[in-house]
């Protein structure tokens, strides 16, 4: 479950210094420090490796959420008109894998465990499949265990306390913390966000379904 900096560097094909930078910006998750050495969440390393690399710096959270909202046919009221115009142009030229790459800093991911309840999290990924409409769209059924969901940064402490959550690299709860400057209020499910989260899954069927739906959404966006 945990990986050293050296092992992570081998998986990603980068230097140990680059691993430290990726951990600092939240692209991979630090589980703990032993002395001066970092130990990393192996799942976060493999998810990043699975994405491959693309040109361009990942978007800030506000731009990432604007892109996901646009694809989902939702409102975006936190970016000015010129930024929105450039974002629409970029989306029309993007592939599903590029979109996953560009939006990967939309939230800070924490692996946790708790009492089995997930009240207070906005369901995404596999947990969103509990909704029959979402399940049908992705042609998948929800898993019988674990939870995946978003929470605003301001609500993170209260939700984790209420659910008895603690950080655990082997935990079956994925909590995605959305920064306060992201624009997105974490008050409604965005289909594109569910698709991106499924696309990043290490489960092959979930990943394929997420990429398929993302591709379809991009095609629909290009046709408008």
């Amino acid at each position: 479950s945990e990986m050293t900096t050296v092992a992570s560097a081998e998986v990603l094909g980068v230097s140990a210094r680059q691993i430290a930078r990726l951990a600092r910006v939240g692209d991979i998750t630090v589980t703990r420090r032993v002395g001066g050495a970092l130990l990393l969440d192996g799942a976060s390393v493999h998810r990043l490796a699975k994405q491959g690399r693309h040109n361009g710096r990942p978007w800030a959270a506000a731009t990432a959420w604007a892109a996901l909202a646009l694809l989902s046919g939702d409102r975006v009221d936190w970016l000015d008109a010129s930024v929105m115009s450039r974002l629409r142009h970029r989306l029309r030229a993007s592939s599903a894998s590029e979109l996953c790459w560009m939006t990967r800093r939309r939230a800070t991911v924490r692996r946790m465990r708790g009492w089995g309840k997930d009240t207070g999290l906005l369901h995404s990924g596999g947990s969103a499949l509990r909704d029959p409409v979402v399940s049908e769209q992705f042609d998948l059924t929800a898993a019988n265990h674990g939870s995946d969901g978003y929470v605003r940064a301001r609500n993170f402490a209260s939700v984790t306390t209420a659910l008895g959550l603690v950080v655990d690299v082997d935990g079956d709860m994925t909590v995605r913390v959305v920064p306060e400057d992201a624009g997105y209020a974490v008050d409604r499910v965005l289909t594109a966000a569910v698709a991106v989260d499924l696309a990043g899954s290490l489960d092959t069927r979930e990943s394929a379904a997420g990429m398929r739906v993302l591709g379809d959404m991009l095609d629909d966006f290009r046709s408008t």
Side-chain angles (χ1 to χ4, degrees):
S1 297
E2 289 182 317
M3 296 180 70
T4 64
T5 299
V6 172
S8 302
E10 289 177 358
V11 168
L12 293 173
V14 298
S15 67
R17 178 174 293 183
Q18 286 173 299
I19 291 294
R21 182 182 62 78
L22 290 169
R24 188 168 59 252
V25 299
D27 285 346
I28 51 180
T29 305
V30 177
T31 56
R32 58 195 171 112
R33 291 177 180 269
V34 178
L38 294 177
L39 285 178
L40 306 160
D41 176 11
S44 71
V45 174
H46 285 287
R47 276 194 297 269
L48 186 59
K50 188 168 168 290
Q51 287 181 7
R53 297 190 66 84
H54 296 277
N55 294 327
R57 294 179 61 184
W59 290 322
T63 306
W65 282 109
L68 296 174
L70 280 174
L71 287 180
S72 304
D74 210 277
R75 67 185 184 275
V76 177
D77 54 12
W78 57 88
L79 295 181
D80 63 39
S82 61
V83 176
M84 287 293 290
S85 177
R86 290 194 297 271
L87 180 57
R88 286 189 178 94
H89 178 75
R90 180 63 189 271
L91 281 174
R92 290 189 177 99
S94 294
S95 66
S97 60
E98 286 170 335
L99 183 67
C100 293
W101 175 264
M102 297 303 293
T103 60
R104 72 182 190 274
R105 292 183 186 166
R106 63 194 174 277
T108 301
V109 180
R110 300 181 186 274
R111 294 276 296 283
M112 310 189 83
R113 61 176 170 83
W115 298 327
K117 297 182 181 291
D118 56 9
T119 309
L121 296 179
L122 184 70
H123 292 162
S124 189
S127 293
L129 300 173
R130 298 173 193 169
D131 181 331
V133 175
V134 178
S135 176
E136 182 179 1
Q137 182 175 8
F138 287 90
D139 193 23
L140 291 171
T141 54
N144 295 324
H145 59 85
S147 294
D148 187 342
Y150 287 96
V151 63
R152 288 185 73 168
R154 70 172 68 171
N155 299 327
F156 176 68
S158 60
V159 168
T160 53
T161 299
L163 300 180
L165 297 179
V166 293
V167 174
D168 184 347
V169 69
D170 293 320
D172 62 356
M173 296 189 72
T174 301
V175 180
R176 304 175 188 271
V177 186
V178 179
E180 287 300 312
D181 61 356
Y184 173 52
V186 198
D187 57 350
R188 59 209 184 271
V189 174
L190 298 179
T191 304
V194 175
V196 168
D197 291 331
L198 285 172
S201 171
L202 298 180
D203 179 281
T204 342
R205 290 185 67 248
E206 289 186 350
S207 179
M211 293 296 282
R212 173 181 55 78
V213 171
L214 273 182
D216 290 346
M217 296 181 86
L218 285 165
D219 287 342
D220 289 344
F221 187 78
R222 280 189 280 269
S223 68
T224 59

